[in-house]
């Protein structure tokens, strides 16, 4: 068997279903039986969900937040006072001590009322100061963070820079001074949640060693430190009301004890290891939970629309295409929820399975599924869906805020990394690591047929879903065989890594197979026995996923044999030198008096 530690996510002591899938092996035993939330934990989550829902409905008018582009005065302090900024932290710092999945449920409930609030809660609980407490060793840094969390203070993660978020290094620098007792930070950060009012920020900066090498480190910076300047709020197309802005750092002195100690001094990647682990799980809070809430809203809005509309005297629900679209949205929502459940419930149960791979993949899976449902719903509602809720309210028709949800959920596809870029990274850094050098099971992968497998009778799958399961097993083997063939065609890893479109298609194939597998595993659970709708949901999802897989396979074949079309695309995609780019038109904004500014 090939070594299992070829990348940072791998764990030699804990297998991963997606890691095995990357290598062309279908490990049904790792995902079946599908985990269920323990009854006592579910009950505790019910209470937390009810409490946050009641609080938000009393305190927030989501339409007003969207129109004004801001949250009510004093609201953020109230969030801190209720402990919602530290959902998983213990009672010793005023937290709720919730499990990972209950934290997800609370944020989903918040998103069902006001998505910007949910994203804020997700970021604070995933990347805020309190999220670091479990990984901080005893000492001044842990004490400072604990004090901030106990006081209910706002915090934020300052990582993105004006040059972009995809760079490995950081232009923000941290220079050791005072014989290493402190660092001076200089740089600019943008797109920082809570920048307008946060009190403590984790700041990623590049530290140059004596030998000239650079690596990223994480520093905790108080907002009132001399040299820190809030550079103004940033407005977004969606998620309006989310406090978003920038930080300028000029000779900001940070004591060395407020720098996060990293176990790997050779680490040079874009994010430090501790931050990477938080980001991987945190995307489920920040992105998957709001995506699921939006998906459920869209289903309800679509049902409402279909129930009250007709065409030429015939109810919309009588048309086959409408029923098919409703079914596909229901199935997509089931797949989205299945992915989130698998990625978090196993963590709560202390499972022996490594979930980092699936948690990393869940960002694209969940945000794309949420967007697909929203887009399908908007197409169904047409002009009524595109119209704002305020306008519909004035016309005294159902003021469903689909237009707002459409803007919000589109932002989730770029939050935490643009989807196509994450596909490219996952394939280039993780998938290829199992084929360079060639794996020990290459002879098995080279076989035309997948190894025989029996799934037994310990499942609740319908005959159609059992057929889907056998299909997935065969496709996973084919995927591994295709990866092996490609790596033999490109002996140098860098050569295949440069074929970015091909890598993106490969990774999307893997995530389609993963989502089908998790959907089937949930449908196979003994607790779903006799629930025909669950079998139908899995069947519809897998049927449409198989069509997408066929398209991906076709596109991959085209990409591998790219000839003149590739040359034409290269010519059309060539970017002229900056001096040759025509200037854009400046936009003049007018204030209330009409004066330009």
């Amino acid at each position: 068997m090939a070594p299992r530690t070829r990348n940072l996510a791998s764990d030699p002591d804990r297998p991963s279903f997606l890691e095995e899938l990357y290598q062309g092996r279908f490990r049904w035993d790792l995902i079946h039986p599908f985990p269920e939330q323990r009854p006592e934990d579910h009950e505790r989550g019910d209470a937390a969900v009810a409490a946050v829902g009641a609080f938000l409905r009393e305190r927030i008018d989501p339409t007003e937040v969207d129109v004004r582009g801001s949250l009510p005065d004093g609201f953020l302090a109230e969030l801190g006072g209720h402990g919602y900024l530290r959902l998983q932290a213990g009672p010793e710092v005023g937290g709720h001590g919730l499990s990972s999945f209950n934290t997800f449920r609370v944020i989903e409930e918040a998103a069902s009322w006001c998505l910007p609030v949910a994203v804020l809660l997700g970021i604070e609980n995933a990347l805020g100061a309190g999220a670091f407490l479990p990984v901080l060793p005893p000492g001044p840094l842990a004490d400072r963070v604990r004090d901030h969390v106990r006081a209910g203070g706002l915090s934020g993660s300052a990582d993105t820079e004006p040059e972009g978020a995809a760079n490995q290094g950081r232009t923000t620098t941290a220079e050791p001074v005072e014989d290493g007792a402190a660092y001076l930070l200089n740089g600019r950060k943008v797109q920082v949640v809570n920048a307008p009012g946060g009190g403590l920020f984790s700041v990623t900066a590049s530290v140059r060693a004596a030998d000239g090498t650079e690596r990223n480190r994480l520093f905790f910076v108080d907002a009132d430190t001399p040299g820190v300047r809030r550079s103004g709020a940033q407005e977004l197309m969606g998620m309006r009301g989310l406090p978003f802005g920038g930080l300028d750092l000029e000779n900001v002195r940070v004591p060395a004890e407020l720098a996060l100690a990293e176990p790997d001094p050779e680490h040079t990647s874009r994010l430090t290891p501790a931050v990477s682990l938080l980001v991987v799980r945190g995307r489920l809070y920040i992105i998957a939970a709001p995506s699921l809430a939006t998906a459920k809203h869209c289903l309800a809005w679509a049902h409402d629309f279909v129930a009250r509309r007709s065409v030429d005297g015939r109810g919309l629900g009588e048309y086959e295409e409408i029923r098919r679209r409703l079914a596909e949205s229901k199935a997509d929502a089931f797949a989205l929820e299945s992915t989130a459940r698998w990625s978090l419930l196993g963590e709560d149960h202390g499972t022996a399975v490594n979930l980092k791979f699936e948690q990393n993949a869940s960002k694209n899976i969940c945000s794309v599924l949420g967007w697909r449902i929203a887009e399908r719903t908007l197409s169904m509602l047409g002009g009524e869906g595109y119209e704002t809720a305020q306008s519909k309210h004035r016309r005294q028709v159902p003021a469903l805020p689909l237009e707002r949800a459409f803007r919000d959920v589109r932002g989730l596809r770029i939050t935490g990394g643009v989807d196509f870029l994450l596909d490219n990274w996952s394939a280039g850094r993780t998938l290829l690591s199992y084929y360079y050098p060639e794996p020990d099971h290459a002879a098995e992968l080279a076989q035309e047929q997948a190894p025989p497998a029996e799934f037994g009778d310990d499942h609740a799958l319908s005959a159609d879903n059992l057929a889907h399961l056998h299909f997935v097993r065969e496709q996973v083997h084919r995927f591994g065989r295709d990866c092996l063939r490609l790596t033999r065609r490109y002996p140098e890893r860098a050569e295949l890594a440069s074929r970015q479109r091909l890598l993106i298609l490969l990774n999307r194939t893997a995530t389609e197979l993963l989502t089908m597998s998790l959907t089937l595993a949930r449908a196979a659970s003994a607790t779903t026995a006799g629930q025909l709708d669950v079998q139908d949901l899995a069947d519809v999802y897998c049927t449409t996923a198989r069509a997408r897989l066929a398209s991906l396979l076709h596109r991959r074949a085209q990409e591998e044999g790219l000839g003149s079309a590739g040359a034409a695309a290269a010519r059309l995609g060539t970017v002229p030198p900056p001096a040759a780019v025509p200037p854009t038109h400046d936009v003049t904004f007018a204030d209330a008096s009409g004066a330009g500014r």
Side-chain angles (χ1 to χ4, degrees), residues 60-267:
I60 291 290
D61 179 340
T63 300
E64 183 179 354
V65 168
D66 184 63
V67 171
R68 292 180 53 196
S70 62
L71 295 168
D73 292 341
F75 175 72
L76 297 179
E78 290 182 58
L79 283 180
H82 283 80
Y84 294 139
L85 304 181
R86 44 198 187 279
L87 291 169
Q88 289 189 269
E92 68 278 2
V93 291
H96 291 262
L98 295 182
S99 63
S100 296
F101 190 61
N102 277 339
T103 299
F104 176 93
R105 292 178 61 201
V106 166
I107 295 170
E108 181 195 344
E109 172 65 16
S112 72
W113 186 248
C114 184
L115 192 139
V117 171
V119 172
L120 186 150
L121 291 178
I123 290 175
E124 186 72 46
N125 283 280
L127 299 173
F132 287 88
L133 284 175
V135 301
L136 295 179
L141 177 55
D143 294 341
R144 175 66 190 92
V145 170
R146 191 175 294 108
D147 290 343
H148 178 81
V149 173
R150 186 182 291 116
L154 282 172
S155 57
S157 173
D159 181 52
T160 302
E161 298 175 335
E163 294 78 10
N167 298 295
Q168 292 295 310
R170 284 290 171 264
T171 58
T172 299
T173 60
E175 179 187 357
V177 295
E178 303 168 24
D179 294 327
Y183 291 84
L184 284 184
L185 271 59
N186 285 276
R188 171 170 291 183
K189 299 293 184 178
V190 295
Q191 299 173 7
V192 181
V193 173
N194 290 331
L200 183 64
F201 296 92
S202 58
V203 178
T204 312
S206 176
V207 180
R208 183 183 294 273
D211 61 1
T213 60
E214 294 186 6
R215 65 188 182 98
N216 296 332
R217 290 196 66 182
L218 198 72
F219 299 83
F220 285 80
V221 180
D222 285 292
D224 59 1
T225 304
V228 176
R229 184 176 69 86
R230 306 179 200 268
S231 55
Q234 295 175 253
E235 297 179 2
L236 304 177
M237 179 175 74
M239 297 186 259
R240 291 177 52 78
L242 185 67
F244 209 56
L247 295 175
D248 290 343
L249 310 168
E250 184 176 357
N251 292 327
V252 176
R253 182 186 181 278
V254 181
E257 62 262 24
L258 296 187
L260 181 64
E262 289 290 354
D264 179 11
E266 302 300 321
H267 183 77

Side-chain angles (χ1 to χ4, degrees), residues 15 18 64 163 290 318 320 355 362 404 422 537:
L18 181 54
E64 183 179 354
E163 294 78 10
E318 298 178 32
E320 184 216 10
L355 296 170
S362 68
R404 182 173 76 228
L422 293 181
L537 289 169

Side-chain angles (χ1 to χ4, degrees), residues 530-547:
Q531 298 181 25
L532 184 60
D533 61 331
V534 170
Q535 297 305 311
D536 287 344
L537 289 169
D539 184 20
V540 170
Y541 182 79
C542 289
T543 299
T544 57
R546 288 173 75 157

Side-chain angles (χ1 to χ4, degrees), residues 453-530:
E454 293 294 335
F455 299 112
D457 298 323
D458 183 26
H459 61 76
L461 291 177
S462 65
D464 288 338
N465 282 328
L466 186 58
H468 289 314
L469 185 60
H470 282 284
F471 170 82
V472 173
R473 178 182 65 86
E474 294 163 0
Q475 291 302 306
V476 167
H477 177 76
R478 179 176 184 172
F479 176 77
R481 189 173 75 244
D482 287 349
C483 289
L484 179 65
R485 175 178 51 78
L486 283 169
T487 51
R488 286 176 171 177
R489 179 178 173 181
Y490 297 96
E492 296 297 326
R493 179 171 175 173
E495 188 178 4
L496 181 53
S498 69
R499 298 293 305 275
Q500 294 182 334
R501 176 62 62 85
L502 186 54
L503 292 190
I504 290 168
L505 295 174
L506 282 171
N507 200 67
R508 289 182 178 175
T509 301
T511 54
E512 284 284 6
L513 291 170
L514 168 65
T515 312
M516 288 179 72
S517 301
L518 295 179
T519 301
L520 289 167
R522 186 179 175 196
S525 171
T527 60
T528 65

